[in-house]
Structures are given as structure tokens and as C-alpha cells.
Amino acid sequence: MSTTCAPSVYLKPEVERRIQNRLKRLEGQVRGVQRLLAAHHACDDLLIQVGAIKQAMNGIMVELIEGHMETCVAEDVRLGQGTKALASLKGALGHALRHAS
């Protein structure tokens, strides 16, 4: 069900940059949890940090969805392919949200 943007359309550079920055922070958070685990920190501390990672992932997903809608979906709508674009977005969102819990 995956569809790609037209070659000339992709996330705006500032959106891509924000997502890259969020991913880098997420990497740091994951490494931090690994250190806590290796140091045998309290499970409560680990759970709090894992919750923060989940929230960070949610933020990345929101940024990506918004950016995708502003570029790829908008372009498909402009080209008269809105129904296809929305069906693809619906499928991707459904899949992502089912696997987000």
C-alpha cells in the first residue's frame, strides 16, 4: 500500500532537518536507557525513560505526518489523485498506530 512522492516532491528541507534532529535525540535517549539498564538502575527509572522514548517517537510521527500531508499528499491532490493519496495515508497511519502501542 506504500506510495512514493513524485521525484520532485519530498519533505521540505526544514521538516527533514527537524526529523533528523529528533531522531538524533532519540538515539541519545535509547543509549541512556541502555546505560541505566547496564548500571542496574531502578525499574521505575527505566519505565520513565522508556515512556519518554515513546513520546519522542510520537513527536517524530506527528512531524512526519504533517510534513507528508503538506508536500506529497497536497501534490497528489493538486494532480487530481487525492483519493489515492488519502487511501495510502489512511493505510500507513492505521499500520503505524496499530503498532505504536
Side-chain angles (χ1 to χ4, degrees):
M1 172 155 270
S2 166
T3 176
T4 58
C5 296
S8 61
V9 180
Y10 192 62
L11 297 171
K12 293 177 182 175
E14 64 271 11
V15 172
E16 187 175 355
R17 191 171 35 259
R18 285 194 305 263
I19 291 171
Q20 286 287 2
N21 289 338
R22 285 176 178 261
L23 288 168
K24 288 175 186 176
R25 283 193 303 273
L26 181 64
E27 283 179 316
Q29 287 178 293
V30 170
R31 282 192 301 274
V33 170
Q34 290 171 327
R35 284 190 298 272
L36 291 175
L37 185 61
H40 298 190
H41 275 255
C43 294
D44 293 353
D45 294 340
L46 291 166
L47 288 168
I48 290 167
Q49 293 306 311
V50 169
I53 289 170
K54 186 174 179 180
Q55 284 303 107
M57 286 299 303
N58 288 343
I60 292 167
M61 190 162 24
V62 167
E63 189 88 44
L64 183 55
I65 291 166
E66 289 174 350
H68 177 60
M69 290 176 68
E70 291 171 357
T71 54
C72 301
V73 173
E75 178 66 8
D76 282 349
V77 168
R78 189 185 71 74
L79 295 173
Q81 300 173 359
T83 302
K84 178 189 81 149
L86 292 175
S88 177
L89 178 60
K90 179 181 173 184
L93 281 174
H95 184 77
L97 294 173
R98 276 191 297 281
H99 291 90
S101 51

